[in-house]
Amino acid sequence: MRMKKNKLYFALLIFFIIPAIARAANLDSLKANFLRGNYRRVIFEAQALVNNIDISGAEELNYILGLSYLKESKLEQAQACFTRILGASSNKFKALANLGLADAYLMAGRFGEAQDIYAKLITDDPNSSQKAAILYRLSQLEFKKGNIQQGNDYLFKLKRDFPLSPELRLAKGLSLITPPVSPLND
């Protein structure tokens, strides 16, 4: 009887536990490669995993893959990854996927779609931890559209609301940060 129990535990270990540990290790490896800037490697390895990963890790994998595609300027593939996340039932990566999708639209020159998503993110969660990043991206969007005053308005709001944000350091070269003529509504 004890031998049957051991065989059952061994079978469970082989079929369920070891593959779950391997998938977690693969995700950790992908994250490390992403942080090192090895985006092509992440894409190559993640493509092999994307159809074989369990439901619990699929959103995170698609998010890392989508960011890697963005870094490699493969915008359609990035949009597909973020859209898969948005179609999933979990909410864990939805806000980040929306931000990534808006970024892909911004990079593709689809300013209206990007602006709609950024505005919705701020409306849905005015205290979002991503608000500084969104304001910075909105300023970039307005400058690309040629709306210097509106871009400056977003930069001023970024400076006023998030004076220590890393995005503000990135904004130094965009334009002079001057008080806006007509401030944005909060």
Side-chain angles (χ1 to χ4, degrees):
M1 183 71 159
R2 185 164 180 93
M3 186 68 125
K4 281 187 176 183
K5 266 187 170 178
N6 286 342
K7 285 182 181 180
L8 180 62
Y9 288 136
F10 185 70
L12 287 172
L13 183 70
I14 288 176
F15 290 113
F16 297 108
I17 297 172
I18 291 176
I21 292 170
R23 283 191 290 275
N26 285 336
L27 275 174
D28 288 342
S29 172
L30 290 174
K31 290 177 198 176
N33 278 314
F34 179 84
L35 292 173
R36 287 186 197 112
N38 298 330
Y39 309 121
R40 289 184 183 167
R41 183 179 184 114
V42 171
I43 292 169
F44 178 75
E45 291 178 8
Q47 282 297 341
L49 291 174
V50 80
N51 294 325
N52 297 327
I53 197 154
D54 64 350
I55 300 300
S56 65
E59 289 181 1
E60 189 171 12
L61 176 66
N62 274 300
Y63 182 67
I64 295 167
L65 183 58
L67 290 179
S68 297
Y69 278 133
L70 271 181
K71 291 292 192 174
E72 290 291 316
S73 296
K74 296 182 178 189
L75 304 179
E76 289 180 19
Q77 294 95 328
Q79 291 170 20
C81 290
F82 297 131
T83 302
R84 276 194 297 271
I85 295 168
L86 294 172
S89 60
S90 173
N91 287 327
K92 185 175 179 182
F93 284 90
K94 288 214 188 230
L96 291 172
N98 268 313
L99 185 60
L101 185 60
D103 290 348
Y105 288 156
L106 176 62
M107 290 174 68
R110 295 166 63 179
F111 301 134
E113 292 166 285
Q115 190 166 23
D116 290 345
I117 294 172
Y118 291 138
K120 186 172 178 0
L121 284 168
I122 289 176
T123 302
D124 289 350
D125 186 6
N127 299 319
S128 168
S129 62
Q130 300 297 320
K131 191 170 181 181
I134 294 168
L135 290 172
Y136 174 72
R137 286 168 171 92
L138 282 167
S139 71
Q140 287 182 314
L141 184 144
E142 293 300 337
F143 288 132
K144 286 183 180 194
K145 287 174 34 180
N147 299 333
I148 304 300
Q149 183 59 47
Q150 189 70 26
N152 273 330
D153 290 349
Y154 283 117
L155 286 178
F156 179 75
K157 191 170 185 177
L158 177 65
K159 181 179 180 180
R160 182 190 68 203
D161 296 347
F162 304 97
L164 300 176
S165 71
E167 290 83 7
L168 193 57
R169 284 187 234 137
L170 292 172
K172 296 273 188 221
L174 284 180
S175 181
L176 295 176
I177 300 176
T178 57
V181 173
S182 58
L184 294 173
N185 294 334
D186 289 332

